[in-house]
Amino acid sequence: MKNPTNGDGTKAISNMNREKILIHRFIYSKYILLPEINSTNEYCKSKYVVSDRIVRALKQTSGRGRMGRSFLSEEGGFYISYCYFPENLMVQDLLPITGLCAVAVSKALERVAGIKAEIKWTNDLIFMGKKICGILTEPVLDHNGRVERLIIGFGINTNQPKNCFDGELANIASSIFALTGTRVDEDDLLICLSLLLQGIYDAVCTKNRIVINDHVKYYRSRCITIGKEISILRPSLVENGRDPKEVYNETPDIFPKATAIGIDENFGLIVRHGDGSEEILTFGEVSVR
Ligand code: BTN
């Protein structure tokens, strides 16, 4: 079909293009791109952010991971935090957020990079056996448990060269570029992830079970933890401040063993213990044995 034109011969903007332009405008109006920062999640907690923002850095000097770990954030990766100021959200409403975010990034990577990533409970993305994305969700609460600020940080290993991951890390993590030989278009990723995340945020704010259930279904279909023999790395079993994973490597037997049998409606991991009893894990970490 020929491109539609205005009366004066200039190209008309079709409805689809108009929608695209509006979406781009909406996203870029909230977008802050920094060449380097300690951590985009930390920046979102600062006084510089007072309304909804999308903060991306090309490099982080103190990238933060879950359980107090650090997150390697060299140039070439995609480090981004979404900061929201919800009006009416309580801490208990956030239960599904971690799993929802894993679904959002998995769908975005499938659309933009053409890869089908797997999800390791709770929200690590795995591709060809390597971690390609980690997510750190940090709510700021008032004394009544109301969410004042919600910060969701994604560290996506998009285009780092292979040698970026060395030593022990090379066994665990890699980048999509190193694994596939194809660069990820980061502008497309920004738009796609931001849109999917907005949908998820709206669903959480409105407690839209239809959308959430749909994402749970997707999560189950991609979750590689289900069916595995696991150890439950309960933070309460380690000395304050120690990384349960580190303790697990030294003394694996102090952690209870179980079988992961499913994912519940809020992305909790359903496990069966040796005595047949069942438990739903809602946070923390497990190690596949
Ligand atoms: C994990 O795998 O433990 C979570 C890693 C989360 C890393 C991202 S990168 C952007 C944002 N800023 C941070 O300091 N951390 C998150």
Side-chain angles (χ1 to χ4, degrees), residues 230 232 234 256-262 264 268-273 275-283:
I230 55 156
I232 304 171
R234 293 196 206 283
K257 296 173 180 43
T259 308
I261 57 171
D264 87 342
L269 184 67
I270 310 169
V271 301
R272 183 174 298 134
H273 295 284
D275 64 2
S277 63
E278 290 182 10
E279 182 184 356
I280 297 170
L281 307 178
T282 51
F283 70 99

Side-chain angles (χ1 to χ4, degrees), residues 18-28 191 195:
R18 187 168 294 124
E19 199 180 301
K20 256 191 188 165
I21 291 166
L22 289 176
I23 287 170
H24 280 225
R25 258 196 216 153
F26 173 73
I27 290 167
Y28 280 105
I191 299 293
L195 273 179

Side-chain angles (χ1 to χ4, degrees), residues 39-41 60 63-66 71 80-81 131 134-135 153-155:
S39 149
T40 52
N41 268 31
Q60 295 184 120
R64 296 180 36 234
R66 297 175 69 229
F71 187 83
I80 194 161
S81 298
K131 175 165 169 170
I135 306 168
F154 296 85

Side-chain angles (χ1 to χ4, degrees), residues 166-231:
D166 55 8
E168 232 178 79
L169 193 61
N171 296 324
I172 305 168
S174 189
S175 74
I176 297 167
F177 173 65
L179 292 166
T180 63
T182 307
R183 292 182 66 80
V184 179
D185 184 320
E186 295 182 334
D187 295 328
D188 285 352
L189 183 58
L190 170 72
I191 299 293
C192 194
L193 180 61
S194 302
L195 273 179
L196 286 163
L197 212 64
Q198 187 65 44
I200 273 170
Y201 175 67
D202 291 343
V204 170
C205 288
T206 56
K207 301 175 187 57
N208 186 332
R209 270 324 307 186
I210 294 172
V211 173
I212 298 173
N213 290 347
D214 207 44
H215 285 71
V216 170
K217 233 192 242 167
Y218 178 99
Y219 187 103
R220 286 181 183 134
S221 73
R222 290 290 171 92
C223 181
I224 48 172
T225 313
I226 302 170
K228 300 267 167 53
E229 300 297 308
I230 55 156
S231 291

Side-chain angles (χ1 to χ4, degrees), residues 76-149:
F78 190 83
Y79 315 109
I80 194 161
S81 298
Y82 291 81
C83 187
Y84 299 104
F85 291 79
E87 276 176 8
N88 192 18
L89 213 55
M90 299 301 288
V91 62
Q92 57 271 22
D93 301 326
L94 294 179
L95 219 46
I97 196 85
T98 308
L100 287 169
C101 290
V103 172
V105 73
S106 168
K107 285 188 173 177
L109 288 175
E110 182 156 6
R111 285 181 204 169
V112 173
I115 63 165
K116 276 189 190 299
E118 295 167 316
I119 303 171
K120 178 175 173 286
W121 189 84
T122 54
N123 62 3
D124 281 348
L125 260 75
I126 309 290
F127 182 61
M128 296 171 79
K130 299 281 197 279
K131 175 165 169 170
I132 52 159
C133 172
I135 306 168
L136 179 64
T137 306
E138 297 187 284
V140 178
L141 307 176
D142 74 6
H143 52 272
N144 295 317
R146 198 184 67 83
V147 183
E148 283 182 346
R149 226 180 251 234

